[in-house]
Amino acid sequence: MFHKILVANRGEIAVRIIRACRDLGIQTVAIYSKADRDSMHVRLADEAICIGEAPSSESYLNIPSIISAAEIADVEAIHPGYGFLAENAHFAEICESCQIKFIGPKPESVRLAGDKALARETMKKAKVAVIPGSKTVIKDQHEALRVAKKLGYPVIIKAKMGGGGKGMKIAHNDGKLLNAFLTAQAEAEAAFGNRDVYMERYLNEPRHIEVQVLADGYGNVIQLGSRDCSVQRRHQKLIEEAPVPSLSKSLRKKLGEAAVRAAKAFQYENVGTIEFLVDEDDRFYFIEMNTRLQVEHGVTELITGIDLVKEQLRIASGEKLGYNQDGVKFAGAAIECRINAEDPDRDFMPNAGKIEWLSLPGGPNVRVDTHVYPGYVIPPYYDSLLAKVLVHGKDRASAIHIMLRALREMEIRPVKTTISLHERILNRPKFRQGKVSTNFIQSVLVPPGPDQIAMQQAG
Ligand code: ADP
């Protein structure tokens, strides 16, 4: 096992990784930007090195600064967390060439999965279904029209190097397609420095279901069950849960098997996630592989009892998986709510500023992963995730009750957050039934009509 590693991230995930290291007796080095001087990960790590100015491009994405910090601190490995450089094959390669272990898969796997058009081809060869779409990158508007005609509307244009919902545009007819194609290209260029896009049929009411995989360096690949991440806004996840509710035993099995096949096709090592969309007829299609730890990894940890960050560290240090597929046991149900510094009543406008008052939930079966504390000033430069509230119940119904209790206890002032929106979602009959699609959030955000208000007033 490693003796000392560098955590190349910030926020709640840096804290999460430092905690896992401490449990394993590993020394940690935090890096931080000037805007994060007072951040919790800086306080908790054994050492901390300032690597640059507030903008990510000058700090958390600055490869030379991070490698210099790793060399000065003399670490054996770098944990990239999620976001920033976590899925950057070039960074993984540079770590390797500097004899610093990148805690994640090999650069080739990152590259293969990161090119979504190539990943689709890889999946077809591995007999994992992909959404009907263009064979590869779409060159021009004429080709876009031809492919859309063949697929049938609606279609979605996606960035080849995409991520975080950027560079995705939906078109319902020829007229809208040309504009969608050009905007997707422009967005892709701005976000990823690459304007290549491809096209898929747009599924109407899909569920986003993903499978956690675990692979060591000795060819052992297993899966740790699935998560439902259908509660999304603008293709960004808000609530995740495990196991997936209302999923037949046979579909659960097929998804698990397809995920293992997919991970093997990517020659995968370490923890990763295979994302699928499942349509109304329970047909499932691969959409992408995330070659890193997911934000929502905690729900899988709660139902399996397996610490995924510790597994990442063990695998990267060369250990074999300590169990096989039959050794994975599932217990109860877990839910995660992402508490973002956004105002749901004002189109989710991000909220920066000082947290004057903070009261975090506690009690049995509640876990809060966060980097914030009373007096913490939220910098405006990074993502808006403030905390993840995770709960574990004996079944889904009890997990929902525990989450509602936790959300009720939670107070963050004066910053606007998504807490009340989560309460609304959890109280919706459709959510309670456990079969919501990725469009579900629309029905929660629509302001109540006069009839509903009258009914509410009547009691
Ligand atoms: P990103 O990597 O940018 O997050 P994904 O390919 O993982 O993009 O898709 C993110 C979300 O976008 C999905 O969870 C789903 O809600 C929506 N989406 C993507 N592809 C399709 C599709 N073909 N049909 C319907 N929704 C889609």
Side-chain angles (χ1 to χ4, degrees), residues 111-396:
R111 189 159 282 131
L112 189 58
D115 180 329
K116 289 175 149 196
L118 205 58
R120 279 170 59 87
E121 287 309 300
T122 311
M123 289 302 93
K124 281 193 213 160
K125 283 192 202 127
K127 305 248 173 309
V128 177
V130 297
I131 300 180
S134 61
K135 242 185 135 182
T136 171
V137 169
I138 302 211
K139 285 191 292 295
D140 53 33
Q141 298 179 11
H142 302 292
E143 190 181 343
L145 283 170
R146 252 198 332 271
V147 178
K149 195 176 188 127
K150 211 167 122 205
L151 294 175
Y153 286 102
V155 296
I156 180 165
I157 323 260
K158 291 173 145 184
K160 178 174 100 146
M161 306 306 289
K166 291 190 196 106
M168 290 203 292
K169 290 280 162 249
I170 301 156
H172 290 268
N173 53 50
D174 282 358
K176 292 270 181 332
L177 181 69
L178 298 182
N179 191 24
F181 175 72
L182 295 174
T183 352
Q185 273 191 331
E187 260 187 34
E189 172 89 64
F192 313 109
N194 180 320
R195 59 194 291 110
D196 287 350
V197 294
Y198 65 103
M199 191 189 293
E200 282 174 359
R201 181 181 297 149
Y202 184 69
L203 304 182
N204 270 326
E205 295 278 342
R207 303 168 76 191
H208 175 117
I209 294 179
E210 58 185 34
V211 181
Q212 178 70 55
V213 293
L214 194 52
D216 66 15
Y218 304 89
N220 300 305
V221 186
I222 61 170
Q223 50 92 11
L224 302 185
S226 41
R227 295 184 284 256
D228 191 323
C229 313
S230 302
V231 179
Q232 304 179 348
R233 180 185 165 267
R234 298 216 176 127
H235 310 305
Q236 294 294 312
K237 298 162 189 167
L238 268 174
I239 297 182
E240 300 99 341
E241 57 180 301
V244 176
S246 330
L247 193 66
S248 71
K249 220 173 155 184
S250 80
L251 185 52
R252 203 179 294 276
K253 188 161 174 277
K254 280 189 204 151
L255 280 165
E257 287 166 354
V260 169
R261 245 183 4 260
K264 286 184 176 162
F266 285 116
Q267 305 201 339
Y268 203 71
E269 187 184 318
N270 215 284
V271 314
T273 296
I274 316 286
E275 295 192 333
F276 297 98
L277 289 185
V278 179
D279 72 11
E280 290 152 299
D281 300 319
D282 275 355
R283 278 185 300 240
F284 65 90
Y285 309 91
F286 167 88
I287 46 169
E288 68 166 343
M289 170 155 204
N290 287 328
T291 54
R292 56 167 163 85
L293 188 71
Q294 301 275 96
V295 177
E296 60 273 22
H297 70 278
V299 289
T300 301
E301 293 184 324
L302 289 175
I303 66 160
T304 59
I306 294 172
D307 184 314
L308 287 167
V309 181
K310 289 183 188 164
E311 290 299 349
Q312 288 194 291
L313 292 159
R314 288 195 191 103
I315 292 169
S317 73
E319 287 183 29
K320 263 190 188 163
L321 272 185
Y323 41 89
N324 58 18
Q325 191 67 62
D326 293 338
V328 182
K329 303 279 178 248
F330 300 95
I335 304 178
E336 169 178 285
C337 287
R338 296 191 191 192
I339 312 301
N340 297 333
E342 290 168 356
D343 184 353
D345 296 327
R346 293 179 66 197
D347 199 26
F348 292 81
M349 193 148 74
N351 253 239
K354 187 170 177 182
I355 296 179
E356 304 281 358
W357 172 263
L358 176 73
S359 170
L360 295 178
N365 302 317
V366 176
R367 160 176 159 185
V368 182
D369 283 9
T370 185
H371 60 292
V372 306
Y373 54 85
Y376 175 73
V377 180
I378 304 164
Y381 308 99
Y382 314 110
D383 74 17
S384 59
L385 183 66
L386 290 183
K388 303 183 312 201
V389 179
L390 298 117
V391 301
H392 189 205
K394 68 178 185 347
D395 52 29
R396 186 170 187 267

Side-chain angles (χ1 to χ4, degrees), residues 51-65 84 381-382:
I51 51 152
E53 300 296 323
S56 314
S57 59
E58 292 171 43
S59 48
Y60 299 105
L61 291 173
N62 185 339
I63 297 179
S65 289
F84 296 124
Y381 308 99
Y382 314 110

